[in-house]
Amino acid sequence: MKNENNNPEQESNEMPVFMPDNLKAASFTNSAFAQFTGEEFSIDFLNMGALGHAVVSRVVMTPSHMKRLALLLNSKVGEYEEMFGEIPQLIEPKK
């Protein structure tokens, strides 16, 4: 799951990864919901706007994959904050 060279086409172990054309365009998300059962976790990524909300992607994975994803994301946020400073939990508009 780790990709040190930031190349989405190739994992760090040099195994080529195929990306279908329909997944090459990114989807913007500004909200996420996670739920779980005894067998799996699922995350719904949403784009919430003034005109309505839409699920843009759903990812389902095993609990062990979810734990590794959480560790990876925590590590990447830490790296980001080392380079650019702390990310605020909530950005308030200036008054």
Side-chain angles (χ1 to χ4, degrees):
M1 191 176 291
K2 191 172 182 182
N3 187 350
E4 292 297 328
N5 60 11
N6 294 324
N7 182 350
E9 300 288 331
Q10 191 170 8
E11 292 292 317
S12 61
N13 63 1
E14 301 301 319
M15 179 74 80
V17 175
F18 172 74
M19 183 175 290
D21 289 339
N22 65 321
L23 296 179
K24 288 183 179 177
S27 298
F28 177 77
T29 181
N30 56 9
S31 188
F33 295 98
Q35 42 287 326
F36 60 88
T37 68
E39 301 290 321
E40 64 192 24
F41 277 82
S42 61
I43 307 171
D44 290 334
F45 295 95
L46 291 87
N47 184 336
M48 299 176 72
L51 300 178
H53 314 317
V55 173
V56 296
S57 181
R58 171 174 284 171
V59 177
V60 180
M61 61 186 74
T62 65
S64 60
H65 278 94
M66 177 61 121
K67 188 168 187 174
R68 288 193 297 274
L69 175 62
L71 291 170
L72 174 66
L73 293 173
N74 190 49
S75 172
K76 291 299 177 183
V77 167
E79 289 176 29
Y80 178 95
E81 289 183 331
E82 284 179 21
M83 291 179 74
F84 301 105
E86 186 175 346
I87 301 169
Q89 287 286 330
L90 180 63
I91 299 172
E92 295 285 343
K94 292 184 179 182
K95 298 182 188 221

